Amino acid sequence: RKEVEQDPGPFNVPEGATVAFNCTYSNSASQSFFWYRQDCRKEPKLLMSVYSSGNEDGRFTAQLNRASQYISLLIRDSKLSDSATYLCVVNFRDSGYALNFGKGTSLLVTP
Amino acid sequence: GAVVSQHPSWVICKSGTSVKIECRSLDFQATTMFWYRQFPKQSLMLMATSNEGSKATYEQGVEKDKFLINHASLTLSTLTVTSAHPEDSSFYICSASPVPYEQYFGPGTRLTVT
């Protein structure tokens, strides 16, 4: 069964904190990995792709461990505007170009 | 760039009626478009993959005769929910793919069936 699993949270953190989200996927034949951000009642927006070597974009760092089928997202120096739901997204090779979404992890950054 | 629009943004209809939702890629051509559905506090669930000029590919458990998809051009796909019932009330989101693995999402359509 194709699955993308995430801790739903919610994660409540103060401004300036560092927070990490984890995600596991069940299909070893997966080839593309992403983190999306979804605000309440809005469409998902691509936050960053995740590469095997790990990648960083400002305060956001993504890591991929293919052997463990595990993806992570680290947010440093949290801002109030980071409050959203973060979706772990995986493309399974046998799904063509379709994306498989986790249920999302909810983050609330408080003053 | 890479803007996708959906229309309508919300719709309320009576049980038994049909509702058509449009998804347009405004500044690029999309050979492939995807239709998703999202229930409250749930993940996006892929309903079908729509390829321009050919029949849509539906995910397991999605009734193709109930959710009619037409992808008549490289910039437009439509989803028609036929004989809608309250359990079809959901947030319907489309995405358009200009190149493989790259998807841009529309703002979604919130359907409420009374």
Side-chain angles (χ1 to χ4, degrees), chain A residues 25-66:
Chain A
Y25 57 94
S26 61
N27 189 330
S28 60
S30 300
Q31 53 189 357
S32 302
F33 309 88
F34 310 89
W35 283 101
Y36 276 72
R37 169 193 171 129
Q38 186 175 24
D39 292 285
C40 188
R41 301 174 79 86
K42 299 284 190 181
E43 76 277 20
K45 292 187 187 294
L46 178 65
L47 181 65
M48 59 197 302
S49 301
V50 186
Y51 304 116
S52 296
S53 55
N55 48 299
E56 188 174 305
D57 183 1
R59 297 181 294 109
F60 299 85
T61 301
Q63 296 279 353
L64 167 64
N65 184 323
R66 285 187 183 269

Side-chain angles (χ1 to χ4, degrees), chain A residues 31 38 41 43 91 97 102, chain B residues 38 43 46 100-101 103 106 110:
Chain A
Q31 53 189 357
Q38 186 175 24
R41 301 174 79 86
E43 76 277 20
N91 165 256
Y97 302 134
Chain B
Q38 186 177 34
S43 62
L46 179 66
Y101 310 119
Q103 290 188 30
R110 197 160 297 279

Side-chain angles (χ1 to χ4, degrees), chain B residues 32-93:
Chain B
T32 306
M33 290 186 173
F34 301 89
W35 286 96
Y36 296 85
R37 179 168 54 182
Q38 186 177 34
F39 293 105
K41 298 191 185 299
Q42 298 294 315
S43 62
L44 272 75
M45 295 299 295
L46 179 66
M47 298 176 67
T49 301
S50 170
N51 293 297
E52 186 265 338
S54 63
K55 290 184 179 180
T57 302
Y58 290 81
E59 293 300 299
Q60 192 173 11
V62 178
E63 299 174 58
K64 61 180 181 181
D65 295 328
K66 181 172 179 64
F67 298 99
L68 302 179
I69 291 172
N70 185 283
H71 193 156
S73 77
L74 288 171
T75 59
L76 173 65
S77 177
T78 60
L79 168 69
T80 301
V81 183
T82 62
S83 186
H85 289 97
E87 58 266 30
D88 298 323
S89 299
S90 188
F91 190 44
Y92 291 85
I93 307 177

